Amino acid sequence: MLGETISFIRRNLSFACVFVAIGCAVVAFEDYSGRGGSSSTRYFIVLYFGYCVQSAILNGDGKVLGLNSGGMGGIGGYIWKNLLIMLAVMGVGVGLPIALGAASFSRDVFLLLCLAVIAIVYPLLLALVGTWPTAGIAGSKSGLADALSRGRYGLVPTFLRLFAGLVLPFVAAFILITAAASMSYEADSVFQGGKLNLIALALLVISQSASTFGICYVSIVLARKFQISERGPLGGAVSAANVSEVFE
């Protein structure tokens, strides 16, 4: 999967660069304007990127289609299904720490615990039902139960790969920002006193590039798992041996 992700990005380098540029522009605009609320915008951009990657994989050519190519089938279902998954993750990510009594902790500790739970629950839930949104791109009518049936096989390796793709870029970006701050660089804001902070901009580009690679990797893992599951000997039911091919 890692090699395929590298190959995919090389083949669609211009598309990946545009995605990185858009992500950087959204963050920079939020920083410059001093207004928050861009998280939802970035999430929808990520969903669109993931849709394009999976659509290219499922089409078999590995090439991202343009907006005017008629290749946008299933995007509505892809978005709302992913939103439902994210809402479930957020519910567990906040609800579990509260249920365990973490609400009595300080705000920073509570948020850290919520992020830790989300970092585990999100890839786990995607490993279980992440092929549900993907099925719509392929034109499949399979539902949530079918996705859960696919997800039960190869759960642990799928979870580990999704965890790496989703969490490691975030950790790498955090380490870079912390390292820059330890060297007295102001890396937490793209604009300082109305002027462009080149160090922060460089770190932003690096972190967005790493995030893009991770999203591409996750999308390919789920798309390949869906493909191999659909080729199983019993249609919806798939043997563990077949699913293990995803991780070769």
Side-chain angles (χ1 to χ4, degrees), residues 176-228:
L176 282 175
I177 294 174
T178 303
S182 67
M183 293 184 289
S184 301
Y185 290 113
E186 296 290 339
D188 59 340
S189 179
V190 179
F191 292 94
Q192 293 286 341
K195 296 182 179 180
L196 186 64
N197 185 342
L198 295 180
I199 298 295
L201 180 61
L203 292 177
L204 176 61
V205 172
I206 293 172
S207 62
Q208 286 290 326
S209 299
S211 176
T212 298
F213 185 88
I215 295 166
C216 184
Y217 178 75
V218 166
S219 300
I220 290 176
V221 168
L222 292 175
R224 289 305 186 196
K225 183 167 186 176
F226 172 79
Q227 282 185 321
I228 293 176

Side-chain angles (χ1 to χ4, degrees), residues 5-202:
T5 303
I6 295 173
S7 177
F8 181 90
I9 290 180
R10 289 177 60 186
R11 189 173 184 184
N12 300 277
L13 185 59
S14 59
F15 176 75
C17 289
V18 168
F19 178 75
V20 171
I22 292 175
C24 292
V26 171
V27 174
F29 176 77
E30 177 183 355
D31 187 35
Y32 182 77
S33 63
R35 296 184 299 177
S38 68
S39 297
S40 58
T41 301
R42 280 181 278 174
Y43 180 66
F44 279 106
I45 293 173
V46 166
L47 285 184
Y48 175 71
F49 181 78
Y51 169 86
C52 290
V53 172
Q54 293 194 343
S55 180
I57 295 298
L58 295 175
N59 286 337
D61 55 7
K63 188 70 175 177
V64 174
L65 301 176
L67 288 173
N68 58 349
S69 61
M72 298 291 290
I75 189 171
Y78 181 84
I79 290 177
W80 74 258
K81 290 173 184 177
N82 272 292
L83 285 176
L84 285 180
I85 293 174
M86 177 55 72
L87 287 175
V89 170
M90 295 299 294
V92 175
V94 176
L96 185 59
I98 292 177
L100 296 176
S104 60
F105 297 161
S106 66
R107 179 175 178 271
D108 291 341
V109 173
F110 177 73
L111 290 177
L112 185 61
L113 288 174
C114 289
L115 287 175
V117 173
I118 290 173
I120 296 174
V121 173
Y122 192 29
L124 178 60
L125 194 56
L126 281 182
L128 285 170
V129 298
T131 58
W132 181 37
T134 307
I137 302 177
S140 173
K141 301 298 183 181
S142 61
L144 185 59
D146 298 306
L148 185 60
S149 178
R150 289 189 292 264
R152 289 188 299 109
Y153 296 95
L155 176 61
V156 173
T158 305
F159 166 75
L160 293 176
R161 289 178 180 271
L162 296 179
F163 180 86
L166 292 170
V167 177
L168 291 186
F170 174 80
V171 173
F174 178 78
I175 292 175
L176 282 175
I177 294 174
T178 303
S182 67
M183 293 184 289
S184 301
Y185 290 113
E186 296 290 339
D188 59 340
S189 179
V190 179
F191 292 94
Q192 293 286 341
K195 296 182 179 180
L196 186 64
N197 185 342
L198 295 180
I199 298 295
L201 180 61

